[in-house]
Amino acid sequence: MENLYKKPCFGTLKSWMFLLFGIAFQLALSGQTVKLEQAQNGGVGLPPVSPVTWTGGNASESSSHYKEGQSIPYRIVISNLSAGTHTLVIGWDIRNSSKSAIDYITGFQRIDERVNPLSGLSGAFSTPQLVPIPAPARNTAAIGLFGTQQMPISSFNRVPATDRNLSIYNATVTEAPVYSEGDPTTSTAETRLTIKFTVTGSGKTVVLSWGGHLASRLDWGGNNTSGDINGSPYHTRFISLNGKGGNQDRSCKVAAVYFIPACSITGPVDVCQSSQTAYTAQTDAPNPIFTWTVNGGTIV
C-alpha cells in the first residue's frame, strides 16, 4: 500500500515539474512582456507636464491632476509578440464603495496636456487603427445636471464620436471588442473588455491606448461619485493576454481628482436708490444650494 501511494504522487509531481519548466522555457525564449501604464501630467497646484509621462506606478496628487469628466490616459505595451491572433482582456472599476468611479472608457486624449501613446518606446510603429468603443449596455437612472437620465450611456453619448475610439499600433483588430459589464447599481463592480487582434510578423511591439472616464457629479448627481470618498477608488487592470496574465493594477487617488463648479451672477451693475431689481445665479453644480447676502439693501 505504501508503494502504491507514493508512486502516483511522485509521477504527478514529476509531470508538473516538466510542465512548469516548459512554460518557463517558452516565455524565456520569446522574451514577451506586457506592461500596463498610466499617464502622469503634473501634481495638483504644480506646473503641468506636457506631453505626459508614462509610469507603471499609481497616480496621486503629487504626480497628477484630473477633473471629473476627463479621462485618465492608459496604455498597454506588449513586446516581442508573435505573429497570429491574440486576445487581450482589460478591466476597470465602475463602482467603488457604492460610488461611480471609472464609469466607461474613451479615447486617450481627453485632458489638457498632450498624450503620446508611443512616448519613450523604441522601434517602428504603424499608423494607429482606431477601434470604436462599444456603448455601455447596463445602465441605471441618475439625477444630474441634465435631469433624470440613464447612466452611463447618456454621458457616453455626449462624448464626441472622435473620442470614442481605442488606438492600437502594430496590430489589426478584426472583431468588435466585447464587454463583460458590471452592475452600475451595486456597491462594487468591474467591467471588462475583450479585444482580439492580429499581428503580422514576429517580435513586434504592440501598443493599445485608451482613457478611463472619471465619473462626474454633473452626470450622476451630488455625492454619487468616487470623488466623495477617500483613498484610491479609480482602478484599471490588465487581466490577461491569451488567457494568461498577472492582473496588473493601476490606481488613482481621490486627491488627484477635483470638481470645480462654475457660477455666475447676472443683473444690473448700477442700482438707483429705493428701486427694486433682480439678480440671477447660474451654476453647473448638481443639486446646488444658494445663499444670498446684500449690503445696503433688503432681499424681498
Side-chain angles (χ1 to χ4, degrees), residues 51-273:
V52 300
T53 58
W54 293 99
T55 176
N58 300 321
S60 69
E61 68 275 21
S62 64
S63 64
S64 305
H65 67 281
Y66 300 108
K67 292 183 289 187
E68 288 188 0
Q70 290 186 331
S71 298
I72 302 175
Y74 297 99
R75 74 177 183 183
I76 282 183
V77 181
I78 310 172
S79 303
N80 296 316
L81 197 58
S82 61
T85 300
H86 303 272
T87 301
L88 175 68
V89 182
I90 59 175
W92 57 94
D93 285 354
I94 63 169
R95 298 283 289 175
N96 191 306
S97 302
S98 299
K99 310 285 185 180
S100 293
I102 297 177
D103 47 2
Y104 54 88
I105 61 172
T106 67
F108 59 79
Q109 186 61 70
R110 298 198 68 254
I111 57 176
D112 297 330
E113 295 72 34
R114 187 168 69 87
V115 181
N116 178 8
L118 304 181
S119 177
L121 303 178
S122 60
F125 290 91
S126 64
T127 301
Q129 179 192 8
L130 301 181
V131 183
I133 296 170
R138 299 192 71 174
N139 298 281
T140 186
I143 305 175
L145 179 65
F146 306 99
T148 302
Q149 294 190 320
Q150 290 295 305
M151 290 294 300
I153 183 64
S154 295
S155 176
F156 179 83
N157 287 338
R158 284 192 291 271
V159 173
T162 53
D163 291 339
R164 299 200 299 257
N165 295 294
L166 303 166
S167 297
I168 191 166
Y169 302 79
N170 282 353
T172 302
V173 174
T174 55
E175 299 180 21
V178 178
Y179 278 135
S180 174
E181 293 185 78
D183 186 346
T185 66
T186 57
S187 173
T188 302
E190 179 194 54
T191 287
R192 293 185 177 186
L193 186 69
T194 299
I195 307 131
K196 291 186 178 182
F197 60 89
T198 301
V199 176
T200 303
S202 300
K204 290 186 176 180
T205 297
V206 172
V207 177
L208 178 75
S209 191
W210 71 97
H213 183 265
L214 294 163
S216 171
R217 62 198 74 194
L218 297 181
D219 297 321
W220 292 92
N223 200 35
N224 288 321
T225 69
S226 291
D228 298 308
I229 59 178
N230 296 319
S232 302
Y234 306 101
H235 288 264
T236 288
R237 302 176 183 87
F238 158 62
I239 304 299
S240 65
L241 177 67
N242 300 326
K244 300 175 183 177
N247 196 21
Q248 297 179 41
D249 188 309
R250 303 292 174 257
S251 67
C252 178
K253 286 187 175 181
V254 167
V257 180
Y258 58 94
F259 172 78
I260 302 177
C263 185
S264 63
I265 299 177
T266 57
V269 176
D270 298 318
V271 180
C272 294
Q273 187 174 4

Side-chain angles (χ1 to χ4, degrees), residues 21-58:
F21 174 79
I23 293 174
F25 178 76
Q26 289 178 357
L27 290 175
L29 190 65
S30 66
Q32 178 179 298
T33 61
V34 182
K35 190 172 184 179
L36 170 63
E37 296 180 310
Q38 67 180 346
Q40 294 184 348
N41 59 347
V44 176
L46 299 177
V49 175
S50 183
V52 300
T53 58
W54 293 99
T55 176
N58 300 321

